[in-house]
Structures are given as C-alpha cells and as structure tokens.
Amino acid sequence: MFETLVLMLDATMRVSTPLILAALAGLYSERAGIVDIGLEGKILGSAFAAAAAAAVFGSAWIGLVFGILASVSLAMIHGFACITHRGDHIVSGVAINTIVAGLTVTLSMHWFGMGGQTPALSGDARFLEITFPFADALRDVPVLGLIYSDLLSGHNILVYLAFLMVPVTYWVIYKTRFGLRLRAVGENPHAVDTAGISVAFIRYRALIVCGILCGLAGAYLSTAHNAGFLKDMSAGKGYMALAALIFGKWRPVPVLFACLLFGFLDAVAIRMQGVVIPGIGEVPVQAIEVLPYVLTVLLLAGFIGKAVGPKAIGRPYVKERA
C-alpha cells in the first residue's frame, strides 16, 4: 500500500511539472495585468521547437534554448497586441493558441515528413533521470529508503527546477523591487505611471519571464517527459495551469498545491485504466481521460469560493495626458 502511494506521488511530480511552470508563468503575466489565455500555445510551440532543435543538433540543452526562444517570441507577440496596441487579451491569446496548433503540425510535416511529429529522441537529445547518491543502496530501508530512492530521486533536472521556481517566484514577487512594481502595475497602473515608472516596460518584462517559464514547460514535455513532439501534446495543460492559478488565487505556494492536486488527479486517472470496479466493470478509457478535467471544473466551481484577481487585469492602460 505504501509503495503504491509513493509511486502515485512520483507520477504526480512528473505530471505536475509542466502545470507548475505554466501556472507560475501565468502568475507573472496576470500579476502585471495581462490575461494570458495563450499559455497553451506557448507550451505547444516551445515543445515543438525544443524537440525539433534537439533532433537536429542532438542536444537537449540546445533544444531547451530554442524552446525558450520560441515561447518568448510568442509572449512578445501577445505583448505587442495587448500592451502596445491595447488589443483584447482574450482574442490575442486564443489567436496564438490557434495559430501554433496549426503551425507546429505544418512545420513538422514539412521538415520531418512524419505526420505532425518529430523524430524520436534518445541519448543526449533528452533530459535523462538524475539518480541521487546511494539511492539504490537505500532502497530497501523501510519508508525513508523508498521515499528517497523512488520519490525524490530519479527525476530529470527540469522537474527539480520547476519545484525550485516556486520559492524563487515567491521571493521575486514579494521581496524584490521588480515584484513590488509588478504587483502595483496589476493593481493600479496609473499610480505606477505617476511615479515615473513605465507600465509597458514592466509588463513586457513580466511577459518575458512568462515566456521563459512556458518554454521550460514545453521543453519538458517533448525532451524529458516524452521522447519527441506529438500533435497537440500540450493536451490542455495551459488551460489547467490557468485553472490552478485561479484556484491558488494568484499566489505561488497555493498555486503549487493546486498544480499538485490536478497532477494527482491525472495520476489517479492513469492508474485507473483497466481497473474493474464491482457492479460497473472496466472503466472506459475515455471516462478516465476526461476525469481530471471534470474534477478540475468541479473543484473550481464548488470549493474555491470567490477568487478576486488583480484589479487592472485585462484592462488596456491608456496613459493620462497632463
């Protein structure tokens, strides 16, 4: 029983990693007043760019760089539409998602001729698991050995980086000058502008950070969690990250726990495939696949209460003339 629980938590960590990175990306963006429905598109675009570069150059690190560049580029397009031209944030985000969904398949078919996917990655083209010292030797130690060797050890570097980004984000948001200005821009951009600080500059910087984190999430999907890019492999993780962001009320630590909850539900759904329930029989695969999303909606609708985001979120900022 305990071993099964450890394996479930291990799967939760793996599944939650892209959600954590994407939710933190959305936190930076929305704390600055920019609604970012385009998280899904940035994850998918970076996943393709990372896998394609890793396949060509044979290096997961080069793939990661290309994935981040692709995601930051999409973030800047979103910023150009929403900040510079004061366009509708939702429309811009949906447009990015739609364009990327089609463009990744088109480019993969044109470049690799493999029906919307990239070549399988192996060796240095993937982020491999990191085994902690003495993990194998301590495996047989009751309780702690299993936790150390199976739960804490055996993940790739992007998993550890995702969890590390939570305290880093907390420190940036609440303990730095940039974080103070970021929160102020999301609450009262006119006051920030009155203090002589560029609202647009702060928001663009927030979107750059958002792009970097989404780039890490996408690269994780295609070069670590999987061995290449597949069509629509983000599978709604950007939207689930937004749900986790709302569930966590735009605060880093609660957002982490929301992502872990959603990841755990996903892990439970995977474990339930093929399980026979008395009186019902074997649960259909389709019902299992939709379970995390249904539970996400139920949790948001029934248990979160009223979530109040930053006051200036989604509102175009027009500089007042003297």
Side-chain angles (χ1 to χ4, degrees):
M1 181 65 183
F2 180 72
E3 184 177 354
T4 302
L5 177 61
V6 170
L7 293 176
M8 289 287 294
L9 294 176
D10 177 73
T12 298
M13 289 180 65
R14 299 174 190 272
V15 175
S16 300
T17 295
L19 296 179
I20 294 170
L21 290 168
L24 293 178
L27 189 147
Y28 280 96
S29 175
E30 300 207 350
R31 278 286 191 170
I34 305 296
V35 178
D36 205 346
I37 297 294
L39 292 176
E40 178 79 6
K42 286 194 278 291
I43 294 172
L44 188 62
S46 62
F48 171 73
V56 172
F57 295 101
S59 170
W61 291 102
I62 294 178
L64 177 62
V65 171
F66 274 83
I68 291 175
L69 288 175
S71 181
V72 171
S73 298
L74 292 171
M76 291 299 95
I77 293 173
H78 185 54
F80 184 70
C82 299
I83 301 172
T84 303
H85 290 283
R86 298 189 287 276
D88 187 280
H89 299 197
I90 304 296
V91 172
S92 174
V94 171
I96 288 174
N97 293 343
T98 305
I99 291 171
V100 172
L103 189 62
T104 51
V105 175
T106 302
L107 291 178
S108 62
M109 292 181 66
H110 180 70
W111 289 348
F112 302 108
M114 298 182 64
Q117 62 186 45
T118 59
L121 304 177
S122 61
D124 292 337
R126 292 193 65 194
F127 287 103
L128 303 178
E129 296 178 351
I130 299 173
T131 303
F132 287 180
F134 310 111
D136 294 332
L138 296 173
R139 189 180 301 273
D140 296 329
V141 176
V143 183
L144 294 179
L146 199 60
I147 292 174
Y148 180 77
S149 60
D150 287 352
L151 181 59
L152 300 180
S153 177
H155 299 284
N156 63 75
I157 191 171
L158 296 182
V159 175
Y160 301 116
L161 182 61
F163 283 87
L164 178 63
M165 286 307 301
V166 177
V168 169
T169 297
Y170 179 88
W171 177 76
V172 170
I173 295 294
Y174 295 107
K175 303 295 182 181
T176 67
R177 180 182 298 178
F178 170 69
L180 175 62
R181 292 177 175 179
L182 184 75
R183 287 181 286 130
V185 162
E187 295 291 339
N188 192 342
H190 291 286
V192 175
D193 184 58
T194 302
I197 301 169
S198 171
V199 172
F201 182 56
I202 295 294
R203 287 182 168 177
Y204 268 112
R205 289 166 67 187
L207 285 179
I208 290 173
V209 177
C210 173
I212 292 172
L213 292 173
C214 280
L216 292 171
Y220 170 80
L221 284 177
S222 61
T223 62
H225 193 60
N226 297 283
F229 175 82
L230 300 172
K231 178 184 177 182
D232 295 330
M233 73 181 307
S234 52
K237 287 180 174 57
Y239 300 114
M240 291 187 71
L242 278 176
L245 181 61
I246 298 170
F247 192 82
K249 299 185 178 180
W250 293 271
R251 293 177 293 177
V253 176
V255 164
L256 168 65
F257 287 114
C259 291
L260 289 174
L261 174 61
F262 295 161
F264 182 75
L265 296 175
D266 207 355
V268 169
I270 294 171
R271 293 283 295 183
M272 286 182 63
Q273 292 186 13
V275 174
V276 177
I277 299 178
I280 299 178
E282 185 175 336
V283 182
V285 175
Q286 293 81 1
I288 296 299
E289 290 177 343
V290 78
L291 180 62
Y293 304 97
V294 172
L295 292 177
T296 298
V297 173
L298 292 177
L299 286 171
L300 284 174
F303 298 100
I304 185 177
K306 186 177 181 180
V308 180
K311 294 179 181 178
I313 189 170
R315 299 178 182 176
Y317 173 68
V318 180
K319 187 173 183 178
E320 296 181 348
R321 295 182 179 180

